[in-house]
Amino acid sequence: MDYDRDRYDAWTWKHPLILHWVLNPGLAINELVLGQRIPRLTLIDTQSEAPLVDRQYIPCPHCQALNPAVVYKNARFGNYAGLVCPECGEEIPTVKNALTWLLLMISWPLWAPFKRRVAPAMLAKQRAKMLHQTPDDARAPSQSKVSGLKLGAFFGLFMGLFFFATAMLGGGGFGAALTSSAIGGALGGVFFGVTMKLFLTVAGRRAAPETPSQH
């Protein structure tokens, strides 16, 4: 779609954070269980001084709307049918985790009929959730004091479950699987959560201050 390339940076699957989402098998849990989705294209306003999380826009290829990412704050989970544009109600293209893609390809005969019947209603429900949120509900996440450690613990829990399951399926004992999942999940989750918290609250580039006039 068309956008001001002088003002916006485009994040696609090539961006390190998006590529991490695609390649990290643990994040398949976020997609399949929690219903999280990452848009295929995210635009970053390079002329704003706000933190990164407040400078993100999710464009709709159908109606050309530039939706502030903050409108998805209260609909970040449960997007099993995909991301919806709050302006026109159409589905916004998303990237997919590699493990999620593999599992969906294998189970395609099971979920495809279900998606055709239920997906439109699910998209409409998510759109209604965004349209009915109050201005306070739609405040930027950076304005709420979200702890990086809490975010890390959240990701650590699900990464730990993934490591535990893979260790058990690989023939490891319960104790060894539990130890590896606890250590791997805790370290990986805390590192990812704290890194994301710091990264998303980095302010944008500020304009150079004006030089006081000499009298």
Side-chain angles (χ1 to χ4, degrees):
M1 62 174 292
D2 294 330
Y3 61 90
D4 186 351
R5 285 170 169 77
D6 292 329
R7 176 165 185 169
Y8 297 100
D9 282 340
W11 284 12
T12 64
W13 67 269
K14 299 178 182 179
H15 189 277
L17 286 179
I18 311 301
L19 193 61
H20 172 263
W21 181 274
V22 173
L23 297 179
N24 185 345
L27 293 177
I29 298 176
N30 293 57
E31 286 191 338
L32 297 174
V33 178
L34 301 179
Q36 285 187 284
R37 295 294 182 269
I38 301 296
R40 192 175 297 172
L41 174 63
T42 300
L43 300 179
I44 310 298
D45 187 350
T46 61
Q47 297 181 9
S48 172
E49 299 178 3
L52 176 60
V53 70
D54 299 330
R55 297 185 282 122
Q56 297 184 44
Y57 294 86
I58 300 175
C60 175
H62 305 284
C63 67
Q64 308 299 307
L66 282 181
N67 301 301
V70 68
V71 304
Y72 292 88
K73 177 185 176 184
N74 292 331
R76 65 184 66 176
F77 301 121
N79 297 292
Y80 301 104
L83 286 181
V84 64
C85 173
E87 293 293 329
C88 67
E90 294 290 335
E91 183 179 353
I92 293 177
T94 59
V95 297
K96 197 174 298 297
N97 178 270
L99 180 58
T100 299
W101 181 86
L102 178 61
L103 294 175
L104 290 179
M105 285 293 294
I106 296 174
S107 60
W108 178 81
L110 299 176
W111 61 262
F114 175 80
K115 181 176 181 179
R116 286 196 296 267
R117 296 178 182 178
V118 180
M122 295 180 70
L123 290 175
K125 182 178 180 180
Q126 289 297 85
R127 185 189 183 200
K129 185 186 297 185
M130 288 185 283
L131 292 177
H132 288 88
Q133 61 186 353
T134 66
D136 288 339
D137 292 334
R139 286 184 307 167
S142 62
Q143 295 177 1
S144 61
K145 303 302 182 181
V146 179
S147 168
L149 290 177
K150 289 182 180 179
L151 184 62
F154 174 80
F155 281 103
L157 172 63
F158 285 97
M159 291 177 69
L161 290 175
F162 173 80
F163 292 149
F164 178 78
T166 53
M168 291 294 292
L169 292 175
F174 179 83
L178 186 62
T179 301
S180 64
S181 64
I183 296 176
L187 294 179
V190 170
F191 175 78
F192 181 70
V194 173
T195 301
M196 286 294 296
K197 173 63 177 176
L198 294 175
F199 184 75
L200 292 176
T201 53
V202 173
R205 294 179 298 203
R206 298 180 181 273
E210 297 182 1
T211 303
S213 58
Q214 301 294 328
H215 298 286

